[in-house]
Tab-separated table of all heavy atoms in Angstrom:
chain	number	residue	atom	x	y	z
T	1279	ASN	N	-23.805	-34.005	144.940
T	1279	ASN	CA	-25.084	-33.652	144.328
T	1279	ASN	C	-25.949	-32.778	145.234
T	1279	ASN	O	-26.768	-32.003	144.750
T	1279	ASN	CB	-25.844	-34.913	143.939
T	1279	ASN	CG	-25.192	-35.630	142.771
T	1279	ASN	OD1	-24.502	-35.010	141.967
T	1279	ASN	ND2	-25.391	-36.930	142.676
T	1280	ALA	N	-25.770	-32.897	146.520
T	1280	ALA	CA	-26.547	-32.072	147.437
T	1280	ALA	C	-26.124	-30.607	147.362
T	1280	ALA	O	-26.940	-29.710	147.577
T	1280	ALA	CB	-26.398	-32.591	148.857
T	1281	LYS	N	-24.861	-30.383	147.047
T	1281	LYS	CA	-24.334	-29.016	146.981
T	1281	LYS	C	-24.177	-28.518	145.551
T	1281	LYS	O	-23.776	-27.371	145.342
T	1281	LYS	CB	-22.986	-28.943	147.698
T	1281	LYS	CG	-23.055	-29.235	149.187
T	1281	LYS	CD	-21.682	-29.115	149.814
T	1281	LYS	CE	-21.738	-29.404	151.314
T	1281	LYS	NZ	-20.396	-29.305	151.953
T	1282	ASN	N	-24.458	-29.372	144.563
T	1282	ASN	CA	-24.276	-29.011	143.157
T	1282	ASN	C	-22.837	-28.590	142.866
T	1282	ASN	O	-22.593	-27.576	142.197
T	1282	ASN	CB	-25.237	-27.891	142.742
T	1282	ASN	CG	-26.596	-28.427	142.340
T	1282	ASN	OD1	-26.940	-29.558	142.654
T	1282	ASN	ND2	-27.366	-27.613	141.644
T	1283	THR	N	-21.896	-29.357	143.378
T	1283	THR	CA	-20.501	-29.054	143.126
T	1283	THR	C	-19.793	-30.244	142.472
T	1283	THR	O	-20.155	-31.405	142.701
T	1283	THR	CB	-19.752	-28.707	144.418
T	1283	THR	OG1	-19.855	-29.801	145.336
T	1283	THR	CG2	-20.322	-27.450	145.064
T	1284	VAL	N	-18.810	-29.913	141.660
T	1284	VAL	CA	-17.933	-30.925	141.079
T	1284	VAL	C	-16.506	-30.476	141.336
T	1284	VAL	O	-16.144	-29.331	141.046
T	1284	VAL	CB	-18.211	-31.148	139.578
T	1284	VAL	CG1	-18.175	-29.853	138.785
T	1284	VAL	CG2	-17.250	-32.169	138.997
T	1285	ASP	N	-15.719	-31.340	141.915
T	1285	ASP	CA	-14.348	-31.031	142.290
T	1285	ASP	C	-13.361	-31.819	141.441
T	1285	ASP	O	-13.680	-32.903	140.938
T	1285	ASP	CB	-14.110	-31.358	143.762
T	1285	ASP	CG	-14.848	-30.428	144.700
T	1285	ASP	OD1	-15.417	-29.415	144.220
T	1285	ASP	OD2	-14.881	-30.708	145.905
T	1286	LEU	N	-12.169	-31.273	141.335
T	1286	LEU	CA	-11.077	-31.969	140.662
T	1286	LEU	C	-9.862	-31.906	141.575
T	1286	LEU	O	-9.279	-30.836	141.749
T	1286	LEU	CB	-10.763	-31.339	139.305
T	1286	LEU	CG	-9.717	-32.068	138.479
T	1286	LEU	CD1	-10.270	-33.407	137.983
T	1286	LEU	CD2	-9.263	-31.213	137.295
T	1287	GLN	N	-9.514	-33.036	142.159
T	1287	GLN	CA	-8.311	-33.126	142.983
T	1287	GLN	C	-7.144	-33.462	142.074
T	1287	GLN	O	-7.165	-34.481	141.384
T	1287	GLN	CB	-8.483	-34.205	144.053
T	1287	GLN	CG	-7.257	-34.415	144.921
T	1287	GLN	CD	-6.927	-33.208	145.774
T	1287	GLN	OE1	-7.816	-32.584	146.348
T	1287	GLN	NE2	-5.651	-32.867	145.840
T	1288	MET	N	-6.148	-32.598	142.076
T	1288	MET	CA	-5.005	-32.764	141.189
T	1288	MET	C	-3.751	-32.968	142.019
T	1288	MET	O	-3.346	-32.076	142.776
T	1288	MET	CB	-4.853	-31.534	140.288
T	1288	MET	CG	-6.116	-31.193	139.513
T	1288	MET	SD	-5.878	-29.844	138.334
T	1288	MET	CE	-5.573	-28.486	139.460
T	1289	ASN	N	-3.145	-34.133	141.899
T	1289	ASN	CA	-1.923	-34.468	142.619
T	1289	ASN	C	-0.767	-34.677	141.642
T	1289	ASN	O	-0.982	-34.849	140.441
T	1289	ASN	CB	-2.135	-35.741	143.444
T	1289	ASN	CG	-3.222	-35.601	144.484
T	1289	ASN	OD1	-3.420	-34.524	145.051
T	1289	ASN	ND2	-3.927	-36.685	144.755
T	1290	SER	N	0.422	-34.667	142.176
T	1290	SER	CA	1.629	-34.886	141.358
T	1290	SER	C	1.615	-34.003	140.116
T	1290	SER	O	1.853	-34.464	138.995
T	1290	SER	CB	1.738	-36.361	140.961
T	1290	SER	OG	1.773	-37.195	142.088
T	1291	LEU	N	1.343	-32.744	140.313
T	1291	LEU	CA	1.213	-31.835	139.177
T	1291	LEU	C	2.526	-31.655	138.440
T	1291	LEU	O	3.613	-31.675	139.040
T	1291	LEU	CB	0.680	-30.491	139.657
T	1291	LEU	CG	-0.825	-30.486	139.934
T	1291	LEU	CD1	-1.197	-29.310	140.836
T	1291	LEU	CD2	-1.599	-30.419	138.635
T	1292	LYS	N	2.398	-31.475	137.123
T	1292	LYS	CA	3.539	-31.301	136.242
T	1292	LYS	C	3.421	-29.954	135.531
T	1292	LYS	O	2.315	-29.433	135.359
T	1292	LYS	CB	3.552	-32.414	135.201
T	1292	LYS	CG	3.540	-33.816	135.757
T	1292	LYS	CD	3.432	-34.839	134.631
T	1292	LYS	CE	3.376	-36.261	135.168
T	1292	LYS	NZ	3.253	-37.251	134.064
T	1293	PRO	N	4.545	-29.402	135.067
T	1293	PRO	CA	4.452	-28.155	134.299
T	1293	PRO	C	3.505	-28.266	133.101
T	1293	PRO	O	2.860	-27.277	132.741
T	1293	PRO	CB	5.902	-27.932	133.859
T	1293	PRO	CG	6.708	-28.545	134.959
T	1293	PRO	CD	5.939	-29.769	135.374
T	1294	ASP	N	3.407	-29.447	132.501
T	1294	ASP	CA	2.492	-29.645	131.369
T	1294	ASP	C	1.021	-29.521	131.753
T	1294	ASP	O	0.158	-29.432	130.874
T	1294	ASP	CB	2.720	-31.012	130.720
T	1294	ASP	CG	3.969	-31.049	129.848
T	1294	ASP	OD1	4.534	-29.957	129.591
T	1294	ASP	OD2	4.373	-32.142	129.438
T	1295	ASP	N	0.725	-29.534	133.037
T	1295	ASP	CA	-0.658	-29.346	133.496
T	1295	ASP	C	-1.059	-27.880	133.519
T	1295	ASP	O	-2.227	-27.556	133.780
T	1295	ASP	CB	-0.848	-29.949	134.887
T	1295	ASP	CG	-0.671	-31.456	134.908
T	1295	ASP	OD1	-1.153	-32.131	133.980
T	1295	ASP	OD2	-0.036	-31.964	135.860
T	1296	THR	N	-0.113	-26.989	133.277
T	1296	THR	CA	-0.414	-25.557	133.264
T	1296	THR	C	-1.434	-25.229	132.185
T	1296	THR	O	-1.242	-25.560	131.010
T	1296	THR	CB	0.867	-24.746	133.037
T	1296	THR	OG1	1.748	-24.937	134.151
T	1296	THR	CG2	0.558	-23.267	132.869
T	1297	ALA	N	-2.532	-24.603	132.581
T	1297	ALA	CA	-3.610	-24.290	131.648
T	1297	ALA	C	-4.704	-23.531	132.389
T	1297	ALA	O	-4.674	-23.430	133.625
T	1297	ALA	CB	-4.209	-25.568	131.052
T	1298	VAL	N	-5.655	-23.028	131.627
T	1298	VAL	CA	-6.902	-22.557	132.208
T	1298	VAL	C	-7.852	-23.749	132.262
T	1298	VAL	O	-8.055	-24.429	131.245
T	1298	VAL	CB	-7.527	-21.415	131.390
T	1298	VAL	CG1	-8.865	-20.984	132.006
T	1298	VAL	CG2	-6.574	-20.234	131.313
T	1299	TYR	N	-8.393	-24.004	133.422
T	1299	TYR	CA	-9.283	-25.143	133.634
T	1299	TYR	C	-10.729	-24.655	133.654
T	1299	TYR	O	-11.059	-23.708	134.368
T	1299	TYR	CB	-8.935	-25.851	134.937
T	1299	TYR	CG	-7.702	-26.710	134.809
T	1299	TYR	CD1	-6.445	-26.130	134.658
T	1299	TYR	CD2	-7.778	-28.101	134.812
T	1299	TYR	CE1	-5.303	-26.909	134.504
T	1299	TYR	CE2	-6.645	-28.894	134.672
T	1299	TYR	CZ	-5.410	-28.281	134.516
T	1299	TYR	OH	-4.289	-29.062	134.371
T	1300	TYR	N	-11.564	-25.338	132.884
T	1300	TYR	CA	-12.964	-24.947	132.738
T	1300	TYR	C	-13.894	-26.052	133.233
T	1300	TYR	O	-13.695	-27.230	132.916
T	1300	TYR	CB	-13.302	-24.683	131.270
T	1300	TYR	CG	-12.561	-23.535	130.649
T	1300	TYR	CD1	-11.340	-23.715	130.012
T	1300	TYR	CD2	-13.094	-22.248	130.693
T	1300	TYR	CE1	-10.668	-22.661	129.428
T	1300	TYR	CE2	-12.426	-21.178	130.123
T	1300	TYR	CZ	-11.212	-21.392	129.496
T	1300	TYR	OH	-10.544	-20.340	128.925
T	1301	CYS	N	-14.900	-25.652	133.948
T	1301	CYS	CA	-15.964	-26.551	134.363
T	1301	CYS	C	-17.006	-26.624	133.243
T	1301	CYS	O	-17.282	-25.617	132.582
T	1301	CYS	CB	-16.601	-26.011	135.644
T	1301	CYS	SG	-17.956	-26.989	136.305
T	1302	ASN	N	-17.567	-27.801	133.040
T	1302	ASN	CA	-18.544	-28.004	131.970
T	1302	ASN	C	-19.699	-28.850	132.466
T	1302	ASN	O	-19.507	-29.817	133.202
T	1302	ASN	CB	-17.866	-28.684	130.788
T	1302	ASN	CG	-18.836	-29.049	129.685
T	1302	ASN	OD1	-19.302	-30.178	129.587
T	1302	ASN	ND2	-19.150	-28.073	128.853
T	1303	ALA	N	-20.891	-28.469	132.060
T	1303	ALA	CA	-22.094	-29.258	132.306
T	1303	ALA	C	-22.681	-29.618	130.945
T	1303	ALA	O	-22.994	-28.720	130.156
T	1303	ALA	CB	-23.104	-28.471	133.134
T	1304	ARG	N	-22.826	-30.914	130.667
T	1304	ARG	CA	-23.239	-31.346	129.333
T	1304	ARG	C	-24.475	-32.223	129.403
T	1304	ARG	O	-24.500	-33.222	130.120
T	1304	ARG	CB	-22.100	-32.095	128.650
T	1304	ARG	CG	-22.441	-32.653	127.275
T	1304	ARG	CD	-21.174	-33.099	126.560
T	1304	ARG	NE	-20.396	-34.048	127.319
T	1304	ARG	CZ	-20.542	-35.368	127.263
T	1304	ARG	NH1	-21.500	-35.884	126.504
T	1304	ARG	NH2	-19.774	-36.178	127.965
T	1305	ALA	N	-25.479	-31.803	128.636
T	1305	ALA	CA	-26.665	-32.634	128.455
T	1305	ALA	C	-26.669	-33.109	126.999
T	1305	ALA	O	-25.726	-32.857	126.265
T	1305	ALA	CB	-27.920	-31.834	128.785
T	1306	ARG	N	-27.739	-33.775	126.586
T	1306	ARG	CA	-27.739	-34.374	125.250
T	1306	ARG	C	-27.612	-33.320	124.157
T	1306	ARG	O	-26.883	-33.511	123.180
T	1306	ARG	CB	-29.011	-35.179	125.047
T	1306	ARG	CG	-29.072	-35.903	123.708
T	1306	ARG	CD	-30.280	-36.766	123.612
T	1306	ARG	NE	-30.292	-37.813	124.620
T	1306	ARG	CZ	-31.287	-38.673	124.781
T	1306	ARG	NH1	-32.357	-38.601	124.011
T	1306	ARG	NH2	-31.226	-39.602	125.706
T	1307	ALA	N	-28.308	-32.219	124.302
T	1307	ALA	CA	-28.374	-31.250	123.203
T	1307	ALA	C	-27.762	-29.898	123.542
T	1307	ALA	O	-27.769	-29.004	122.698
T	1307	ALA	CB	-29.819	-31.061	122.769
T	1308	HIS	N	-27.251	-29.734	124.726
T	1308	HIS	CA	-26.697	-28.436	125.089
T	1308	HIS	C	-25.720	-28.585	126.249
T	1308	HIS	O	-25.641	-29.649	126.865
T	1308	HIS	CB	-27.825	-27.452	125.461
T	1308	HIS	CG	-28.586	-27.883	126.682
T	1308	HIS	ND1	-29.611	-28.801	126.634
T	1308	HIS	CD2	-28.465	-27.512	127.978
T	1308	HIS	CE1	-30.085	-28.987	127.840
T	1308	HIS	NE2	-29.416	-28.214	128.683
T	1309	GLY	N	-25.015	-27.513	126.498
T	1309	GLY	CA	-24.065	-27.539	127.598
T	1309	GLY	C	-23.726	-26.141	128.053
T	1309	GLY	O	-24.104	-25.148	127.407
T	1310	TYR	N	-23.021	-26.083	129.146
T	1310	TYR	CA	-22.633	-24.799	129.725
T	1310	TYR	C	-21.175	-24.853	130.169
T	1310	TYR	O	-20.661	-25.913	130.526
T	1310	TYR	CB	-23.527	-24.480	130.937
T	1310	TYR	CG	-24.994	-24.450	130.619
T	1310	TYR	CD1	-25.803	-25.550	130.885
T	1310	TYR	CD2	-25.580	-23.326	130.039
T	1310	TYR	CE1	-27.153	-25.543	130.584
T	1310	TYR	CE2	-26.940	-23.305	129.742
T	1310	TYR	CZ	-27.709	-24.424	130.013
T	1310	TYR	OH	-29.046	-24.404	129.716
């Protein structure tokens, strides 16, 4: 929270994990 970052550590990756990964910020009525 101090750096405003969100990380995703992905281990044991599989071919099915292949994709474009998107970061999302969601509030009650809107998101980015």
